[in-house]
Amino acid sequence: MKRMLLVLGALMICAGTADARRRRAMGGEKYVANGKFGLGLELGAPFGINGKYFLTDSTALNFGVGEVYDNYYDDRDGFNLYIDHLWHPLSLTNQPDFQLPFYIGVGVRLWDFDDRANRFDDNNGLALGIRIPIGIAFDFNKVPLDVFVQFTPVLDLITGYGGDDGINDHLEFSVGIRYWFD
């Protein structure tokens, strides 16, 4: 009994640390973030810098700046800026070395693009879009890193593209890695 009280006291002392958060989540399906702010690289569509800031143990702001390129929307590419609100309703597994949280969110993006097919035409455009990121993250417990994979349906309102304004939809795919600061 005395040993159990000592262990409980030690857990209460370090309750604010990432190690304590991991211990609370072990064995259950609830996800608890290991860090507060992560910054890294996102590859795919979009390509660029990605950041994530946890508001609570299971909700976060996900943001990025970079480029959407190549074969989206008939060879249009250009500057992309987005922000999403993510919910991490559960962890698919909680192991001593990593957690595997599922997440879903909703966000917005701004995309300033150019038509790659004909650089001499003035086919620049601007899109304001709604994003719905869906993914999983490999949240490592022993190192301050995570790796994520996500699919993001996007619905864009396009304007200024040679009179071809309208609403377009498509699916983006990206992978990334982030370093976590405590």
Side-chain angles (χ1 to χ4, degrees):
M1 182 71 167
K2 191 175 189 178
R3 185 179 283 177
M4 188 171 18
L5 289 175
L6 287 172
V7 170
L8 285 174
L11 285 175
M12 290 174 64
I13 289 170
C14 58
T17 67
D19 288 337
R21 289 191 301 267
R22 282 191 292 276
R23 281 192 290 278
R24 287 195 309 264
M26 289 299 148
E29 292 185 353
K30 182 180 178 188
Y31 173 68
V32 179
N34 283 330
K36 188 78 168 168
F37 174 70
L39 191 62
L41 183 63
E42 186 171 10
L43 304 172
F47 172 83
I49 303 296
N50 174 271
K52 191 172 187 179
Y53 179 77
F54 273 91
L55 303 169
T56 68
D57 280 342
S58 61
T59 62
L61 293 177
N62 180 49
F63 53 91
V65 61
E67 183 173 12
V68 173
Y69 59 93
D70 239 349
N71 294 320
Y72 292 99
Y73 296 131
D74 303 322
D75 290 329
R76 300 175 200 173
D77 69 347
F79 176 76
N80 183 62
L81 177 68
Y82 69 87
I83 188 164
D84 308 315
H85 187 267
L86 301 181
W87 294 273
H88 301 75
L90 61 97
S91 182
L92 302 174
T93 185
N94 290 322
Q95 300 298 318
D97 291 333
F98 72 95
Q99 298 179 78
L100 191 64
F102 164 79
Y103 62 86
I104 187 166
V106 63
V108 295
R109 81 147 172 201
L110 181 65
W111 181 34
D112 183 14
F113 63 87
D114 185 26
D115 185 348
R116 287 181 41 166
N118 189 348
R119 293 283 185 192
F120 299 107
D121 283 346
D122 188 20
N123 279 340
N124 297 335
L126 186 66
L128 180 62
I130 297 172
R131 296 169 34 94
I132 303 174
I134 302 165
I136 57 172
F138 299 88
D139 192 355
F140 298 102
N141 291 331
K142 296 184 179 182
V143 293
L145 292 174
D146 83 334
V147 176
F148 64 91
V149 177
Q150 73 182 18
F151 292 93
T152 307
V154 179
L155 186 63
D156 281 326
L157 174 60
I158 294 180
T159 184
Y161 182 64
D164 191 20
D165 297 347
I167 297 176
N168 289 303
D169 64 332
H170 71 283
L171 182 65
E172 296 178 347
F173 171 77
S174 63
V175 297
I177 187 168
R178 284 184 288 253
Y179 179 83
W180 286 91
F181 304 91
D182 230 2

